[in-house]
Amino acid sequence: MSIKKRELEKLSLVIPCFNEEKNLNELTSQLIGLNDGRLEIIFVDDGSKDSTWSSILKLQNDNPGIIKGIKFSKNFGKEAAIEAGLKACTGNTAITLDADLEHPVDTIPKMIALWKNNLDIYIVNAVKVNRQKESLLKKMFIYFYFKVFSFSTGLELKNHTDFKLLDRVVIDKYIHLPENNKFYRGLINWLGFNAIDIDITINDKVDNESGWTVIQLIKYAKNSILSFSDLPLKSITWLGLLLFIFSIGLSIDTVVKAMNGTSAEGFPTVILLILIIGSIIIFSLGILGEYLSEIFNEIKGRPKYVISENVENNSENDS
Ligand code: UDP
Ligand code: MG
């Protein structure tokens, strides 16, 4: 009896790069022998300010037929860079990984083996068993974010990374999802294909200067939740209902006190009520505004990125 296995004719490695000039040579030398050399490496330069693009051109020159380079006209963000790379890749599977050497390359053969040996598996997710060096504030924020995210979306993504192996079927579905605000980690999971997790230890010995600021993290958290869930929008209704119930109770209390001749205590209560209700209203308007802006951005239908140079195919000018 022969056990069926998948063949990997060509592996695509998709690597978003933002100011990564110092890491690309080392990363390429680690990757080049994978899958017995039957691979392509797609570097997407996401508007770097350093010489990332010239490093990519040099690597492309030194490794003809293996390296592809895509250059964005400005910084469009990691999600856009991953998408551009996935659109350009031609392998039977693609692995997305960071350029900053934090994702351990020695996990890749294990990911490939899992894909080859399990015909029903379409995604291999690398899941962190340790966290990068992070401040206490960041750690608390990330913990809170994942709690809110899994509550509002029903997806459990704690310790998931963008280091993933995707089968061609998944790549084709992902690149054709029409939405503009794409949250890679979440959407891949949302597609629903059978996935398997593999533990990785993030390599935090590398000099990681590109860590996110808390403001960037807040924006990222907000975008990922807004693009996935309408729970914050619906919660306004519930908040309104709660306030309504509270105000009925308070009204009854006030009337009863007035009839007994002990009228409700004065000024501080009124000020407090105005402040609390005022801030709830403004906060709710803010939530409405966020969703409106999501709709506004989606409806404009602008491309997610603009490619200014492409060193494998002829130049193309947008997505
Ligand atoms: N990156 C990108 N565009 C950006 C920010 C980051 O393409 O605007 C790339 C970056 O070069 C790296 C990966 O995305 O390859 C992860 O970035 P980073 O190390 O900053 O994120 P973290 O490791 O903190 O998640
Ligand atoms: Mg990093």
Side-chain angles (χ1 to χ4, degrees):
M1 191 184 78
S2 73
I3 300 165
K4 274 185 110 180
K5 273 184 161 193
R6 285 179 176 126
E7 265 307 309
L8 182 51
E9 280 150 33
K10 187 178 187 184
L11 169 69
S12 299
L13 296 153
V14 171
I15 306 172
C17 310
F18 180 63
N19 298 341
E20 300 284 3
E21 59 176 9
K22 63 179 187 313
N23 295 323
L24 295 188
N25 285 337
E26 168 63 22
L27 182 65
T28 306
S29 67
Q30 289 185 18
L31 296 173
I32 211 90
L34 288 170
N35 198 34
D36 301 322
R38 289 170 298 158
L39 79 164
E40 63 180 357
I41 303 177
I42 302 172
F43 287 116
V44 184
D45 179 4
D46 183 16
S48 300
K49 302 273 181 268
D50 64 0
S51 58
T52 295
W53 183 242
S54 38
S55 306
I56 294 173
L57 291 180
K58 182 161 186 312
L59 284 166
Q60 207 247 347
N61 211 31
D62 297 347
N63 303 279
I66 292 194
I67 311 265
K68 290 182 181 178
I70 297 171
K71 183 177 178 356
F72 283 178
S73 60
K74 62 169 188 169
N75 180 254
F76 283 95
K78 182 182 181 183
E79 313 289 315
I82 290 177
E83 180 159 2
L86 288 176
K87 273 193 177 155
C89 78
T90 56
N92 330 69
T93 70
I95 292 183
T96 49
L97 76 157
D98 287 359
D100 58 6
L101 306 167
E102 284 183 357
H103 292 159
V105 169
D106 54 12
T107 310
I108 293 179
K110 295 179 207 156
M111 294 167 99
I112 296 173
L114 282 171
W115 173 81
K116 279 185 177 169
N117 297 333
N118 298 283
L119 294 183
D120 56 336
I121 292 294
Y122 293 86
I123 300 167
V124 183
N125 292 311
V127 179
K128 290 188 257 197
V129 291
N130 65 331
R131 290 213 64 92
Q132 285 127 295
K133 290 178 229 154
E134 280 150 353
S135 66
L136 186 66
L137 181 68
K138 241 183 189 177
K139 277 201 178 107
M140 277 163 46
F141 177 81
I142 290 167
Y143 177 81
F144 181 68
Y145 161 68
F146 278 116
K147 284 271 171 249
V148 175
F149 186 86
S150 63
F151 177 73
S152 56
T153 65
L155 296 177
E156 195 52 69
L157 297 183
K158 187 155 191 275
N159 290 342
H160 274 224
T161 62
D162 290 339
F163 187 21
K164 292 179 187 301
L165 178 147
L166 309 178
D167 186 275
R168 173 51 58 189
V169 179
V170 181
I171 303 170
D172 287 341
K173 294 284 177 225
Y174 183 76
I175 59 179
H176 289 110
L177 289 172
E179 59 201 86
N180 228 307
N181 181 7
K182 273 190 178 174
F183 174 45
Y184 177 63
R185 235 172 272 187
L187 271 180
I188 289 292
N189 192 310
W190 175 89
L191 283 172
F193 288 97
N194 273 349
I196 196 165
D197 292 349
I198 184 166
D199 288 346
I200 55 159
T201 306
I202 291 286
N203 182 7
D204 60 6
K205 282 184 222 58
V206 293
D207 171 23
N208 179 13
E209 290 167 8
S210 59
W212 295 36
T213 62
V214 171
I215 298 286
Q216 282 172 318
L217 275 176
I218 291 174
K219 276 195 187 153
Y220 183 79
K222 189 194 76 182
N223 281 347
S224 61
I225 291 173
L226 290 190
S227 73
F228 253 89
S229 169
D230 57 3
L231 196 78
L233 202 56
K234 288 185 173 149
S235 65
I236 297 177
T237 318
W238 293 106
L239 203 63
L241 188 69
L242 271 180
L243 261 182
F244 180 62
I245 294 169
F246 174 72
S247 61
I248 289 179
L250 203 68
S251 311
I252 294 173
D253 181 60
T254 311
V255 171
V256 170
K257 276 184 178 155
M259 287 197 310
N260 291 341
T262 50
S263 54
E265 308 92 61
F267 216 51
T269 324
V270 176
I271 291 181
L272 271 183
L273 280 176
I274 290 176
L275 286 178
I276 292 170
I277 294 172
S279 42
I280 289 176
I281 290 174
I282 293 172
F283 186 67
S284 305
L285 279 175
I287 294 179
L288 281 175
E290 291 288 349
Y291 280 93
L292 206 60
S293 116
E294 278 284 302
I295 297 170
F296 175 66
N297 285 326
E298 291 289 334
I299 221 156
K300 276 190 292 192
R302 283 194 190 149
K304 291 167 212 95
Y305 51 83
V306 176
I307 295 174
S308 60
E309 271 180 76
N310 195 328
V311 286
E312 219 258 335
N313 312 312
N314 295 326
S315 287
E316 48 176 288
N317 281 323
D318 61 23
S319 64

